[in-house]
Amino acid sequence: MKILLVYAHPEPRSLNGGLKDFTVAHLQRAGHHVEVSDLYAMRWKAGLDAEDFADAPVGEVFRATLDSKHAYEQNSQHADIVREQQKLRWADTVIFQFPLWWFSMPALMKGWIDRVYAYGFAYGVGEHSESHWGDRYGEGMLAGKRAMLIVTAGGWAEHYAPRGINGHIDDILFPIQHGMLFYPGFTVLPPVVFYRTDKTTPEQFTAHCATLARRLDTLAQTPPIPFRRQNHGDYLIPSLILRPELAPGEEGLAIHQQR
């Protein structure tokens, strides 16, 4: 298997650094081909702006969508963006590893999404008609590839339980898993989440590695999160509202998973 690990943590000697090193070594020992995009080590540029494109803005002012589309079509994107897109095309599976900072991924990783997910590459693809509203949410350029999150959180697992003060971890990660991964076509595996990370002992680190190894050994077999596909009958087009006969009377993020 060809695996890309997109990693965001500034300290190599951190728990995340140890988990990243374990992941790479474990996958390589199993015979997989592994590429790592270590965003802090790469000094990745986080902000999407006109400097990302060789050509002048298409219109009078910079517009991220239009200028991204033009640059992608004209092969005038910045070289670092092109390299990461090539890695995504190459990979069978993509793992995103990061600490949960302020209920999301670090800004550097969000900037990787903003810049690499160009118009025409990760979005803005496919026809729009009365029965098909673009290739997205289960379709798209990244369809056929698997993706998974490895997340560390300082809070207790109970804090992220369905009735926990922080909200359910599935809801917190929904914008990432459903929006950033499923939207461009990834098949999304359930995340691996480690809690109370500031209190991790050597014995707990060993247990974390064992948990991670079990998931890494079953990347191809683990059942994915059963997100509903957009163009396969569950949603009204073009409103993209879930059909009333599905999860009747219910609202919220959970309705976007099949049951």
Side-chain angles (χ1 to χ4, degrees):
M1 189 181 296
K2 295 176 290 187
I3 300 172
L4 171 63
L5 173 60
V6 184
Y7 169 77
H9 197 285
E11 176 51 66
R13 296 166 295 180
S14 64
L15 170 64
N16 266 276
L19 293 172
K20 183 260 293 181
D21 291 343
F22 172 82
T23 294
V24 173
H26 187 84
L27 290 171
Q28 289 176 335
R29 282 196 300 269
H32 300 293
H33 302 282
V34 182
E35 288 278 349
V36 178
S37 290
D38 185 338
L39 302 184
Y40 279 93
M42 294 161 59
R43 297 188 177 276
W44 179 259
K45 173 180 175 289
L48 171 66
D49 55 31
E51 294 181 1
D52 287 329
F53 314 124
D55 298 335
V58 175
E60 295 182 1
V61 297
F62 171 73
R63 292 184 61 183
T65 51
L66 295 183
D67 290 296
S68 174
K69 179 177 186 290
H70 174 80
Y72 180 72
E73 291 175 345
Q74 300 301 316
N75 298 315
S76 59
Q77 301 174 109
H78 197 281
D80 63 345
I81 296 174
V82 175
R83 284 193 294 270
E84 298 306 298
Q85 290 171 347
Q86 290 172 339
K87 292 178 186 178
L88 281 174
R89 289 191 182 95
W90 167 85
D92 303 311
T93 299
V94 183
I95 298 172
F96 293 84
Q97 183 189 336
F98 57 91
L100 193 67
W101 286 355
W102 286 107
F103 298 87
S104 188
M105 57 177 54
L108 210 57
M109 183 172 282
K110 178 55 166 58
W112 187 93
I113 297 286
D114 289 346
R115 296 181 67 224
V116 175
Y117 276 24
Y119 189 117
F121 177 77
Y123 73 104
V125 298
E127 67 167 285
H128 285 68
S129 67
E130 293 182 358
S131 61
H132 191 100
W133 202 254
D135 294 342
R136 57 185 192 169
Y137 291 117
E139 300 174 288
M141 296 286 285
L142 301 177
K145 302 175 184 291
R146 295 195 146 208
M148 184 182 78
L149 305 182
I150 300 174
V151 181
T152 60
W156 297 19
E158 292 87 342
H159 299 173
Y160 296 93
R163 292 174 60 86
I165 184 66
N166 289 340
H168 194 194
I169 190 64
D170 290 348
D171 292 346
I172 292 170
L173 297 180
F174 183 88
I176 301 172
Q177 296 185 135
H178 188 262
M180 300 181 201
L181 301 182
F182 189 59
Y183 183 110
F186 279 116
T187 297
V188 187
L189 306 185
V192 178
V193 185
F194 299 110
Y195 300 97
R196 300 190 73 178
T197 52
D198 290 342
K199 305 295 183 181
T200 303
T201 65
E203 294 75 19
Q204 289 170 329
F205 178 74
T206 298
H208 289 344
C209 289
T211 297
L212 192 51
R214 287 191 290 271
R215 177 59 69 82
L216 296 173
D217 290 341
T218 57
L219 286 173
Q221 296 82 34
T222 298
I225 300 172
F227 289 132
R228 298 180 186 274
R229 299 178 68 176
Q230 175 186 279
N231 295 311
H232 288 244
D234 285 1
Y235 296 91
L236 301 172
I237 294 177
S239 68
L240 301 183
I241 294 174
L242 189 67
R243 290 186 176 277
E245 65 269 23
L246 300 175
E250 298 182 42
E251 299 177 352
L253 304 181
I255 67 173
H256 300 294
Q257 292 188 32
Q258 296 176 344
R259 302 172 186 177

